[in-house]
Amino acid sequence: MTIDPITQPDGHLARLDRFLRQAAAIMHAFERDPAQQQDGDGRPTDGEAFGWAAHRRDRTLWEAFRPVREHADAMLATAAAQLNQLPGASRGAWESRITALSPAAESLTTEHDRAIDRLRNRLVKGDSGVAAVDCVLTEFYDEAWPALGTWAAGASAVTELDAAVSPRAAAERKRSSLRPAARGSSSGAVETALAPGPTPARRQGHR
């Protein structure tokens, strides 16, 4: 009896592919930013400019990741099941990267919930000014960076594994992506919690 391969839902993969494209562009822009210039000791020559560049990277990565976040756990569960369908010797190309995504997703959830609590606490105390909100958001983006960087660097393993497990489904998705999009189509639900705030508080960079 032939067992049908486990596959990722098309909608989940479409969101992940969009995030990966956006993340690649974001990281490329950050790496080419003049703020990357370093002195002889390997430190940014302009710490404030580097801090702003790092903030833009972190904020835009979070904005790109938000549509993926809702389905991250489901995608990782599917990927784990797909790995189990493969012989142990065939898993190496994807297993380590996929394994790293789970704690990164958990970290993002923890930091997001912590930021929401900080915002609520400030509201309770009557400290709801722009500067106070900016401070919470800047801290959140800064703390979310390691996990966002992990997803930007390693999440392609999810799509690669899905294509390897089910080449036919991957080929059909590729054909579908070449068809003209229907007018009025939606990119899906967008998370509203912790939406991007106004101009962040200035910070010195050290990353």
Side-chain angles (χ1 to χ4, degrees), residues 15 18 67 70-71 185-191:
R15 292 185 177 191
R18 188 178 304 115
E70 179 182 357
H71 307 294
S185 62
S186 171
S187 60
V190 177
E191 175 190 342

Side-chain angles (χ1 to χ4, degrees), residues 5 16 23 31 42 48 52 60 77 92 97 109-110 114 116 119 123 164-165 173 177 206:
L16 182 59
E31 290 164 1
E48 184 175 6
W52 276 105
T60 51
R97 285 186 289 161
T109 296
T110 298
R114 185 177 298 160
I116 293 295
L119 287 172
L123 288 173
V165 169
R173 276 193 295 271
S177 69
H206 58 272

Side-chain angles (χ1 to χ4, degrees), residues 103-172:
E106 292 175 4
S107 175
L108 285 170
T109 296
T110 298
E111 296 300 342
H112 178 269
D113 292 346
R114 185 177 298 160
I116 293 295
D117 287 341
R118 289 173 184 162
L119 287 172
R120 287 172 178 164
N121 289 337
R122 287 180 179 271
L123 288 173
V124 169
K125 296 176 181 178
D127 186 11
S128 58
V130 171
V133 174
D134 284 352
C135 182
V136 172
L137 291 174
T138 299
E139 289 177 0
F140 167 70
Y141 297 140
D142 185 61
E143 292 163 354
W145 153 244
L148 290 170
T150 296
W151 273 79
S156 59
V158 173
T159 57
E160 294 167 8
L161 174 61
D162 191 78
V165 169
S166 182
R168 182 177 300 177
E172 175 56 31

